[in-house]
Amino acid sequence: MDTQTQFCSFQLADLCFGFDVQRVQEVIRSPLLAPVPLAPPAISGLLNLRGQILTAIDLRRQLCLPEEEDSSEGRMLMIVCCEEGQVAFLVDSVGDVIDVDESSFESPPENLPASVRPFLRGVHKLDSSLLHVLDIEATASALNHEISL
Amino acid sequence: MSEGGGSDFQEELVKDFLLESAEGLESFERDMLAVENGENSPDLLNQVFRVVHTIKGTAGCLGFNRIESIAHSGESVLSLVRDGELPASKEVADAMLRLSDALKAMLDLIESCGSDAEAGDFAELRELLEAVRDPDFAATPVEPDSVSAAEPEPRSEAEPAAEADGRWGLFGDEEPAAESKEETDTQAPADERWGLFDSEPEPEKPVPPSATESSAANDAPEPAGRSGPVAANSTIRVDIDLLDRLMNMVGELVLSRNQLLQVSQKRDISQSEVSLVSQRLNQVTSELQQNVMKTRMQPIGTVWGKYPRIVRDLAGELGKKVSLQTFGADTELDRTIIEAIKDPLTHIIRNAVDHGIETPDTRLAVGKSEEAQLFMRAFHEGGQVNIEIIDDGAGIDGDRIRRKAIEKGLISEKDSELLSEREMVSLIFLPGFSTAEKLSSISGRGVGMDVVKTNIEKIGGSVSIDSVRGEGTTLRIKIPLTLAIVPVLVAKSAGQRFAIPQVNLVELVRLEGEQMESLLEKVYDSPVFRLRGNLLPLVFLSKALKLSAPVAKQASSISIVVLRAERQLFGLVVEEVCDTEEIVVKPLGHLLKGLPTYAGATIMGDGSVAIILDSLGIAQLAGVLNASKPESFATEEESEEAGNYGMRNSLILFSLPGWGRLAVSLDDAERLEEFEADKIIRSGRQESVLYRGGIMKLVRLADHLRVASEESSQEQVIVYKIGERFVGLVVGEIHDIIEESVSLEPAGEQDGILGSAVIQGEVTDLVDVPRILKAARIDIPQNVA
């Protein structure tokens, strides 16, 4: 069990999350997003990435985390490649690339709320904190409709 | 798999082989049909020989022994024909077409599983090829008859099915499990078709599995971009000159970028330097854009190639004689559109041969030639591509269509009595309509003309049908050149910009101040607007999209964008209409596919994103469409017009200083514009303005009607389009646009006045626009008058 994986870590409401670094195309400062009326609330808008129109998903809403007080100010977008194309995830801030070993992985606990369950693959136990590993395909395709804000 | 699964190099070779063979076979079929029709120039025969020879050779090299051996049999027949030892008879052509089918089936197999080992041995075809080499073969009618009569049936049924399977779906994005199932499936019918033929007296037998599969495959999403003939679809041939030009321009682009980088690093940047670079960048990008668009353009002939074969097989099967002629095969169209019209066209052609064209006996009985003519014509007109499919068959029996529609409950008996012949014929576009009395295997496969219509409308096109009973039917399709760039109207609601495609746009109405209160009425709770006497249901965009209204809600004016959806009109209320613009349509991501109100998104000049509205989606969301009003009926407005035989005119009412009521016809006018006085350029006595990237001459109506002209700070101008140029008619003040039946009284001696009429209870003079423009020495082509 010496398989090393690299995760691009990011912060969301004091929690540390990670995407497989291979899937992250780039990280940009969030530009002004064009809102999409009638869209599910987790969709925060559209952005123009060098001539390509991408949909931005607000990860806080998608993962049922509390709204940030001074939202949209200085938040970051992670452009992630998934099967259906690229998707932008709105996150609070982006951290380092973290090397983890397969052995530190653990499945999510049973008492995880059902609304978050499909998105969370498990956690990696880091020295001082837990790195939440998200299922990119699930997070980027199935929109969480159960969010109550 | 030993042959196919080798190195990358081997795979590459196989891919090339598949691609080349698919292209070769396409031209092979075309040429063979020509040979069958009695054309037997040495060139043509050489060409067909070469195709088979190449396939044989390459297949041998790559170790596809079955292809090699069957191609060899075919080649030996063709070499006899080429050397003049065997006449190019119908039987030979038939055998060759079957050879082509067999080769295609094997190529498909190679593509899906990498080997032709499972392809069956095509014993029947082999025998036929042997038999055909005997010059006396044609004299023994028993076998060819059974072959040509029975064979095409499963073939023509199975062919589209196989196509649908292979090209459109199942392989593409499904699990390997499905793929292996698919293999066995394609193989089974293949065996039945060519191998076990004799023991299979019912030709329909092999059909069901593939037929059901074809419907399943049709449900699958669009082309996955693999498999034999698809190989041809996923690649495109580009002129090397064009490619060189593109490369050149990309070089220019890089230079411009370098220049820009240099300029941006300077400490003090001068305005002129920046504008120089941006000008150059602008030039390069627009040229690049044009040329890249060009690479996507393909002659429509690439789709037409397969129709002669379809028509031939179908006609043979139905015992009809049809000659298909195509015109304008070099008309160019965007690739995506070519893909999109392929299936509708096939359906139309099949319909024409199956329903439209009569049997030779019937044709002779009504005094027509035995052989029916089927024309396909494509040409450019007004920025659109027109495709016409014309047959000289029986035409469409309007009454029968009407009865059928009543029978199926699509219209009521009462409504149907009001229909004109043309409207009756158009009923075939209603969903759920299929005239075939008994479902024939050819056209009655559940895809009616309504699907053809929806598919063509999906790409922004339109279909119309003209039919003269006993003389034939003409089907006209109009499609845009490209889907990528569309003209839109940019409108604002709740501070957000939206783009509305101009295809759906009918007119704009602006209400100001008090009018807003007085002219917006309510039926119970639903807002409506009286548009020239008819109630127009209104949809407030901000409400429909649940936009958060801006804080200052005392907008001084609103605009009603009158849109058409399913032939019904509704008004979309927005706060501000900004401009018209040509935009590049970009798809919305998969996450937003479920929203019917949007047709896509676009990037505006300032780099921000604007959403493109779908008028139909919005109308449905707001529920303004009247479901009980069948869509193929003319709207009330239209039928009323028809009732008056076009006497109802749309007029622009305006006044000149000292001349109260004047009118011109709205139909000829291109647009109404307003120009600031300081935008008007004078050269000598001629006034002009810059308009849409060109110079537009202005003609002052007052001068020509000999009224004192008064210059104001805002000139209202009616723009006419003459040929490619615009001409502006400066009128005093535009008051209204009305629609009325006008009876014209001859005018007095006043030059430039057509006559007078009573409009809205007052005497109004109609201006003779062509005459005025002529007097202003602006050449007018006939059609404006």
Side-chain angles (χ1 to χ4, degrees):
Chain A
M1 294 292 264
D2 52 23
T3 36
Q4 290 274 326
T5 341
Q6 289 189 312
F7 283 97
C8 184
S9 69
F10 57 90
Q11 297 287 322
L12 271 180
D14 304 330
L15 291 178
C16 179
F17 287 85
F19 280 136
D20 183 351
V21 85
Q22 304 275 344
R23 306 284 291 276
V24 179
Q25 180 192 314
E26 60 185 289
V27 175
I28 54 169
R29 201 167 286 284
S30 173
L32 200 60
L33 299 173
V36 184
L38 305 183
I43 288 183
S44 50
L46 300 173
L47 74 142
N48 166 15
L49 183 75
R50 296 184 296 276
Q52 213 182 344
I53 292 179
L54 301 186
T55 314
I57 297 178
D58 187 332
L59 262 190
R60 274 189 183 239
R61 294 192 191 169
Q62 176 81 329
L63 300 175
C64 310
L65 295 168
E67 289 279 292
E68 204 177 15
E69 277 92 58
D70 53 338
S71 63
S72 77
E73 199 52 43
R75 295 178 79 181
M76 302 293 283
L77 278 176
M78 295 180 84
I79 316 292
V80 173
C81 304
C82 66
E83 267 172 30
E84 309 259 12
Q86 293 140 306
V87 169
F89 288 107
L90 200 56
V91 301
D92 293 357
S93 62
V94 177
D96 294 333
V97 173
I98 302 173
D99 285 294
V100 290
D101 195 273
E102 214 42 65
S103 60
S104 68
F105 184 77
E106 218 164 293
S107 308
E110 289 305 313
N111 59 358
L112 195 73
S115 55
V116 185
R117 191 167 281 278
F119 307 121
L120 199 64
R121 237 197 243 158
V123 289
H124 274 289
K125 294 163 287 185
L126 303 182
D127 291 342
S128 58
S129 63
L130 293 173
L131 176 73
H132 298 67
V133 179
L134 290 176
D135 183 330
I136 292 182
E137 298 307 330
T139 322
S141 57
L143 288 174
N144 199 343
H145 292 284
E146 294 180 34
I147 350 170
S148 45
L149 294 168
Chain B
M1 285 277 169
S2 56
E3 315 92 321
S7 62
D8 282 355
F9 182 60
Q10 171 88 359
E11 268 175 35
E12 199 61 28
L13 284 179
V14 172
K15 226 167 107 189
D16 284 350
F17 165 63
L18 290 174
L19 193 69
E20 268 170 30
S21 305
E23 280 178 5
L25 284 176
E26 205 164 287
S27 68
F28 174 77
E29 280 192 3
R30 224 177 11 246
D31 295 341
M32 220 49 233
L33 288 171
V35 169
E36 190 186 31
N37 289 335
E39 224 177 285
N40 50 4
S41 67
D43 274 356
L44 196 64
L45 291 172
N46 261 325
Q47 217 166 311
V48 289
F49 178 80
R50 216 175 302 133
V51 171
V52 178
H53 183 76
T54 313
I55 291 180
K56 183 188 102 172
T58 326
C61 283
L62 295 171
F64 298 125
N65 299 325
R66 280 166 193 269
I67 290 197
E68 185 189 7
S69 88
I70 197 103
H72 177 74
S73 309
E75 189 189 352
S76 32
V77 176
L78 282 172
S79 76
L80 288 177
V81 176
R82 187 186 56 168
D83 301 341
E85 288 171 34
L86 191 69
S89 62
K90 189 165 169 29
E91 287 71 27
V92 171
D94 211 56
M96 285 305 132
L97 290 176
R98 289 183 59 194
L99 170 70
S100 150
D101 290 341
L103 288 173
K104 273 189 195 160
M106 284 195 271
L107 291 173
D108 280 353
L109 209 58
I110 291 174
E111 178 134 39
S112 58
C113 63
S115 149
D116 66 341
E118 293 165 41
D121 59 357
F122 296 97
E124 184 73 17
L125 178 60
R126 237 172 258 277
E127 265 171 44
L128 180 67
L129 289 173
E130 282 300 313
V132 138
R133 285 167 70 172
D134 182 356
D136 298 331
F137 173 73
T140 58
V142 188
E143 220 208 327
D145 251 1
S146 76
V147 166
S148 59
E151 216 289 321
E153 182 125 9
R155 171 68 210 149
S156 66
E157 178 63 32
E159 184 207 51
E163 255 173 46
D165 294 344
R167 301 181 193 177
W168 299 80
L170 287 185
F171 292 107
D173 18 26
E174 287 197 6
E175 301 299 300
E179 211 161 297
S180 66
K181 169 187 158 287
E182 170 61 24
E183 271 163 40
T184 51
D185 274 6
T186 35
Q187 215 216 312
D191 274 346
E192 275 163 353
R193 263 184 263 153
W194 289 290
L196 311 171
F197 194 75
D198 279 345
S199 57
E200 208 58 88
E202 284 284 329
E204 273 85 1
K205 268 275 163 87
V207 173
S210 44
T212 46
E213 230 177 74
S214 90
S215 62
N218 281 338
D219 293 340
E222 281 282 286
R226 272 173 62 183
S227 108
V230 170
N233 287 345
S234 58
T235 58
I236 182 168
R237 284 179 185 272
V238 177
D239 188 26
I240 196 87
D241 278 348
L242 185 58
L243 213 54
D244 283 346
R245 269 211 301 283
L246 281 177
M247 199 55 224
N248 248 337
M249 267 174 264
V250 171
E252 281 295 300
L253 193 66
V254 171
L255 286 182
S256 311
R257 181 204 57 188
N258 293 349
Q259 230 175 349
L260 187 66
L261 286 177
Q262 254 172 27
V263 169
S264 69
Q265 276 163 5
K266 278 191 187 168
R267 198 161 290 182
D268 44 306
I269 308 165
S270 77
Q271 186 61 42
S272 64
E273 268 175 308
V274 175
S275 67
L276 205 70
V277 179
S278 72
Q279 240 171 38
R280 182 166 168 180
L281 209 55
N282 178 22
Q283 215 172 0
V284 175
T285 36
S286 48
E287 212 165 312
L288 199 59
Q289 183 195 6
Q290 270 174 17
N291 279 287
V292 171
M293 294 290 285
K294 254 190 212 157
T295 60
R296 292 177 57 92
M297 299 300 257
Q298 282 198 310
I300 197 168
T302 50
V303 213
W304 283 4
K306 66 172 191 167
Y307 294 131
R309 177 76 202 274
I310 292 179
V311 169
R312 172 195 177 273
D313 285 354
L314 204 56
E317 187 182 335
L318 296 163
K320 295 178 180 177
K321 290 195 172 172
V322 185
S323 107
L324 175 71
Q325 292 186 47
T326 54
F327 301 95
D330 53 355
T331 308
E332 288 195 323
L333 260 178
D334 194 276
R335 245 188 67 77
T336 45
I337 296 191
I338 290 206
E339 281 301 309
I341 58 167
K342 209 151 129 187
D343 286 356
L345 275 182
T346 312
H347 190 77
I348 292 167
I349 294 264
R350 298 178 88 94
N351 255 340
V353 177
D354 192 17
H355 301 306
I357 288 167
E358 319 92 321
T359 55
D361 296 343
T362 326
R363 286 184 65 87
L364 286 175
V366 295
K368 293 186 193 174
S369 65
E370 198 183 6
E371 192 180 51
Q373 302 288 327
L374 187 61
F375 297 104
M376 294 184 75
R377 205 156 78 96
F379 55 96
H380 287 284
E381 191 184 74
Q384 283 193 313
V385 174
N386 290 251
I387 301 174
E388 294 178 347
I389 295 111
I390 307 165
D391 69 59
D392 66 345
I396 297 174
D397 185 342
D399 272 333
R400 221 181 97 219
I401 304 282
R402 187 176 65 102
R403 279 200 308 277
K404 202 89 197 170
I406 297 171
E407 210 174 285
K408 301 215 163 175
L410 299 171
I411 51 167
S412 71
E413 182 106 38
K414 205 174 120 244
D415 284 341
S416 76
E417 277 161 21
L418 302 170
L419 296 179
S420 68
E421 178 78 20
R422 199 191 154 90
E423 283 167 333
M424 279 192 242
V425 170
S426 306
L427 289 175
I428 63 167
F429 290 122
L430 285 187
F433 190 93
S434 175
T435 41
E437 313 256 277
K438 61 175 168 58
L439 288 184
S440 68
S441 64
I442 300 127
S443 0
R445 52 180 70 221
V447 245
M449 289 300 284
D450 64 310
V451 178
V452 169
K453 189 174 171 231
T454 10
N455 279 344
I456 287 172
E457 280 175 357
K458 222 182 262 167
I459 54 169
S462 64
V463 198
S464 68
I465 195 163
D466 266 326
S467 181
V468 180
R469 229 178 282 184
E471 283 177 28
T473 308
T474 301
L475 213 130
R476 272 191 203 89
I477 302 174
K478 282 184 182 223
I479 30 183
L481 269 179
T482 171
L483 295 180
I485 296 180
V486 294
V488 295
L489 180 82
V490 181
K492 249 187 195 171
S493 188
Q496 202 177 338
R497 277 186 294 183
F498 293 95
I500 305 167
Q502 288 194 12
V503 203
N504 308 320
L505 187 68
V506 182
E507 63 178 290
L508 296 171
V509 180
R510 187 180 144 101
L511 300 182
E512 281 177 4
E514 284 173 15
Q515 287 182 317
M516 275 168 63
E517 306 292 315
S518 59
L519 290 179
L520 293 184
E521 295 170 276
K522 276 189 176 177
V523 175
Y524 190 59
D525 217 9
S526 322
V528 289
F529 174 72
R530 265 189 239 202
L531 183 70
R532 291 187 287 282
N534 291 330
L535 286 186
L536 182 77
L538 292 182
V539 179
F540 284 80
L541 186 61
S542 54
K543 274 185 206 153
L545 297 185
K546 303 199 177 85
L547 300 173
S548 50
V551 196
K553 222 202 148 275
Q554 57 228 14
S556 62
S557 73
I558 56 164
S559 294
I560 301 175
V561 182
V562 183
L563 295 174
R564 189 188 296 274
E566 300 227 307
R567 291 190 165 211
Q568 295 180 39
L569 299 182
F570 72 97
L572 187 67
V573 182
V574 296
E575 271 131 49
E576 194 186 335
V577 169
C578 308
D579 203 359
T580 59
E581 220 171 291
E582 293 212 323
I583 57 150
V584 181
V585 180
K586 312 241 173 184
L588 287 174
H590 62 282
L591 290 165
L592 300 170
K593 283 244 167 72
L595 296 173
T597 38
Y598 311 124
T602 187
I603 296 170
M604 308 297 289
D606 59 358
S608 65
V609 179
I611 295 176
I612 305 167
L613 298 179
D614 182 311
S615 80
L616 182 60
I618 293 202
Q620 279 165 346
L621 176 80
V624 288
L625 289 188
N626 185 349
S628 66
K629 216 190 253 179
E631 60 165 309
S632 65
F633 291 137
T635 57
E636 275 174 40
E637 209 176 312
E638 279 169 30
S639 55
E640 205 177 312
E641 249 173 58
N644 286 335
Y645 297 103
M647 286 298 286
R648 217 170 159 81
N649 293 328
S650 302
L651 298 171
I652 305 171
L653 286 186
F654 61 95
S655 65
L656 287 174
W659 196 323
R661 292 182 68 87
L662 282 160
V664 292
S665 165
L666 175 68
D667 298 340
D668 307 331
E670 179 80 7
R671 280 176 78 101
L672 302 182
E673 293 278 0
E674 215 173 50
F675 293 103
E676 315 243 328
D678 55 4
K679 292 266 166 66
I680 297 176
I681 309 153
R682 285 185 182 75
S683 53
R685 290 178 59 199
Q686 179 62 55
E687 289 175 308
S688 28
V689 285
L690 289 178
Y691 186 65
R692 293 200 183 177
I695 298 169
M696 177 168 80
K697 288 187 179 173
L698 295 180
V699 177
R700 282 191 186 270
L701 187 60
D703 294 347
H704 289 275
L705 295 181
R706 279 172 242 134
V707 200
S709 88
E710 249 172 54
E711 285 182 21
S712 61
S713 59
Q714 288 275 345
E715 297 289 5
Q716 297 200 312
V717 174
I718 304 174
V719 179
Y720 289 88
K721 193 171 184 186
I722 293 170
E724 286 303 301
R725 290 179 315 164
F726 294 100
V727 174
L729 193 64
V730 184
V731 295
E733 196 183 340
I734 297 172
H735 295 294
D736 202 359
I737 292 172
I738 53 134
E739 208 165 282
E740 273 206 22
S741 331
V742 178
S743 55
L744 214 58
E745 304 280 331
E749 64 280 10
Q750 177 80 44
D751 206 24
I753 294 292
L754 215 52
S756 312
V758 178
I759 295 172
Q760 292 181 331
E762 286 186 62
V763 177
T764 308
D765 294 320
L766 252 80
V767 178
D768 188 347
V769 178
R771 188 149 192 163
I772 299 277
L773 295 185
K774 208 168 176 180
R777 290 164 198 264
I778 289 166
D779 305 322
I780 324 163
Q782 303 304 323
N783 57 4
V784 177

